[in-house]
Amino acid sequence: MSGRRVRLTAGARRAQLVDEATALIARNGYHRFSISALAAATGLTRAGVLHHVGSKEQLLLDVLAGRDERDDAAMRRFRDRDPRPGARELLDDVVRRNLAQPEIVRLYTVLAAEALDPSHPAHDYFARRLRSGMADMGALLDGFDRPAAQVAVEIYAFMDGIQLNWLRDPTLDMWQLWTGFADALFATRLNV
């Protein structure tokens, strides 16, 4: 930043801080992220940042809420096109969106790993998100020769693994790997 601060409304400043924090946390992880680094990146003082965001922990929750809002908006747009999407179509859309936003995938992957520690401020968030995501996905996964919850675990495990490897090696063709997995998985679906 140039050192010259631009005056923004409180809402615009908060949005700027959440966006910049998203990028910094994606790059460095939550534990190596600091309010001071955010202040330097946005031309504010540390006190100025805290005035707008409250605390480092609250800022993390705001970053995750922003991600959820973007995902929810994308899901609404998808459902507007197809009010009753099938599981495969829905999952294909998720993979396409993730391919277009590697920084958000990196953010989520880094935070999900850090939040394995029960003392991490996002631990409960990720536990709730996993439970609700599995339930939502399971509701779409009927017609397999095994329980829908088991199929949902298989899908989550593959998607988490391929995204991690894609972040590590961007030359991997995540779409091709996803479609190969999904084609094989959905071929086992009984006549539904």
Side-chain angles (χ1 to χ4, degrees), residues 162-180:
I162 196 58
Q163 288 177 160
L164 177 65
N165 286 299
W166 173 65
L167 291 169
R168 187 172 288 126
D169 179 3
T171 66
L172 290 176
D173 186 339
M174 187 164 72
W175 179 253
Q176 180 184 17
L177 293 165
W178 160 251
T179 57

Side-chain angles (χ1 to χ4, degrees), residues 37-131:
L38 180 59
T42 56
L44 296 174
T45 64
R46 188 174 190 287
V49 169
L50 290 172
H51 168 77
H52 289 284
V53 301
S55 68
K56 181 179 174 181
E57 293 77 15
Q58 182 57 53
L59 181 58
L60 173 63
L61 297 176
D62 292 345
V63 164
L64 292 170
R67 181 201 183 271
D68 288 347
E69 288 168 14
R70 285 188 295 278
D71 278 359
D72 291 347
M75 190 60 63
R76 283 190 300 278
R77 286 190 302 276
F78 180 76
R79 287 201 166 121
D80 286 346
R81 290 192 312 263
D82 183 0
R84 296 187 44 83
R88 174 64 191 267
E89 294 79 16
L90 189 67
L91 292 165
D92 283 354
D93 186 65
V94 168
V95 173
R96 280 189 199 97
R97 274 189 289 124
N98 286 349
L99 280 165
Q101 56 183 5
E103 188 166 286
I104 297 298
V105 173
R106 180 178 310 283
L107 167 79
Y108 200 75
T109 302
V110 168
L111 286 175
E114 289 181 346
L116 291 171
D117 177 353
S119 67
H120 192 280
H123 179 79
D124 291 341
Y125 165 87
F126 280 99
R128 279 190 312 273
R129 184 148 173 95
L130 178 62
R131 283 191 303 275

Side-chain angles (χ1 to χ4, degrees), residues 29-44:
Y30 176 74
H31 292 300
R32 291 183 18 218
F33 165 79
S34 73
I35 295 295
S36 296
L38 180 59
T42 56
L44 296 174

